[in-house]
Amino acid sequence: MAGLCFTAQGKDRLVWWDDFEGTEPDTTRWSYVIWPPYWSNRELQSYTHSSENVRIENGCLVITARKEADGEAAYTSGRLVTKSKGDWKYGKVEVRAKLPAGRGVWPAIWMLPTDNVYGGWPRSGEIDIMEFVGFEIDTVHATIHTEAYNHKKKTDIGSPIKLPVSEDGFHVYGCVWTSERLDFFVDGILYHSFSNDGRGDYKTWPFDQRFHLVLNLAVGGSWGGMKGVDDKIFPQHFYIDWVRIYQ
């Protein structure tokens, strides 16, 4: 299934998945992002392809943030994307994951446009299925970004949900995406929706193009680092049990 693009037709069907078997990520489904610190959102880590940062263990993808020097970075971590290996227009995304904890971590499950048809960020959109910042230990967030609605303008549209987080707790984070709306769920509970206003304007609804999935664990940054970073908590682990895409 990897590398195919689907459009929604009829009854939902499983079109792409990963159960994270083996010892390392399936590179027919995922690509590593290799970035230096401060490249995005003033995050402090470098993203690497080291097995110390990204590996498969006991049937889970494990993304680990570590306190270690790497060039200009004081921390290392991992970021995987499905771009050009899993790209979708509409569907249901579900990810079963267990979050890290502690001041300074910023794990996310999100989607970015594959083709940037309307231009660079935020014009072509962003779908944040789950974001968690370690200084808010009991809350996760779902958010959308567009030309009209984004955090730089302080007009981004999102909702939080209270969710006790512990190292023993897996939850299923999901999004149902149609031509009319985006609905966001945790464990099947709907807690945020964003509707197409029907104007046909990409500035408010760029979500009519292909998007791909992103999994990452950031350290610090413009949001994750608002309360500083507690160096005593590292290493921290973001566990992903499975990913399912239905259309």
Side-chain angles (χ1 to χ4, degrees):
M1 297 294 179
L4 299 181
C5 176
F6 297 87
T7 55
Q9 294 181 1
K11 187 177 180 180
D12 285 352
R13 61 193 175 98
L14 182 64
V15 297
W16 194 98
W17 64 91
D18 200 335
D19 291 318
F20 300 112
E21 299 172 345
T23 59
E24 58 186 27
D26 180 352
T27 55
T28 69
R29 285 172 162 79
W30 302 95
S31 297
Y32 292 84
V33 172
I34 310 300
W35 276 356
Y38 316 114
W39 191 263
S40 176
N41 298 315
R42 301 197 299 274
E43 297 167 11
L44 302 178
Q45 80 295 319
S46 63
Y47 285 126
T48 84
H49 54 68
S50 169
S51 60
E52 295 292 321
N53 298 118
V54 182
R55 67 187 184 280
I56 292 178
E57 185 177 279
N58 299 322
C60 283
L61 172 67
V62 185
I63 302 178
T64 299
R66 302 173 61 85
K67 177 70 173 73
E68 61 179 351
D70 181 34
E72 295 181 0
Y75 309 88
T76 61
S77 190
R79 173 168 168 156
L80 294 181
V81 300
T82 66
K83 186 175 182 179
S84 300
K85 300 177 179 180
D87 310 275
W88 308 280
K89 177 181 174 181
Y90 311 136
K92 178 169 69 175
V93 179
E94 290 188 324
V95 179
R96 186 173 188 262
K98 181 168 64 173
L99 306 183
R103 182 165 47 86
V105 296
W106 184 4
I109 301 167
W110 50 307
M111 302 185 79
L112 284 172
T114 296
D115 306 303
N116 282 326
V117 169
Y118 302 117
W121 192 93
R123 293 186 291 275
S124 291
E126 175 181 323
I127 302 169
D128 296 327
I129 298 171
M130 186 288 304
E131 286 186 282
F132 169 76
V133 287
F135 61 83
E136 290 184 332
I137 190 63
D138 62 349
T139 305
V140 296
H141 301 258
T143 313
I144 62 92
H145 297 274
T146 72
E147 172 76 4
Y149 310 122
N150 64 79
H151 70 260
K152 288 190 174 181
K153 291 182 177 179
K154 298 183 179 180
T155 56
D156 52 313
I157 296 177
S159 295
I161 185 172
K162 293 292 185 180
L163 184 71
V165 174
S166 74
E167 293 186 356
D168 297 323
F170 278 91
H171 298 277
V172 177
Y173 303 96
C175 174
V176 175
W177 168 29
T178 70
S179 61
E180 297 178 351
R181 62 191 297 119
L182 286 154
D183 291 327
F184 297 85
F185 301 83
V186 174
D187 297 331
I189 299 170
L190 174 67
Y191 74 103
H192 178 55
S193 294
F194 177 74
S195 295
N196 185 348
D197 61 14
R199 291 186 295 175
D201 184 351
Y202 81 88
K203 293 182 180 179
T204 59
W205 185 265
F207 307 114
D208 58 354
Q209 304 293 328
R210 302 190 306 163
F211 277 63
H212 61 272
L213 188 64
V214 183
L215 303 173
N216 73 286
L217 173 53
V219 178
S222 55
W223 188 17
M226 285 181 66
K227 305 291 185 179
V229 178
D230 181 2
D231 284 345
K232 298 188 298 294
I233 67 173
F234 294 96
Q236 284 292 312
H237 309 288
F238 183 18
Y239 294 93
I240 299 93
D241 186 19
W242 48 254
V243 175
R244 302 279 188 271
I245 310 294
Y246 301 87
Q247 289 191 323

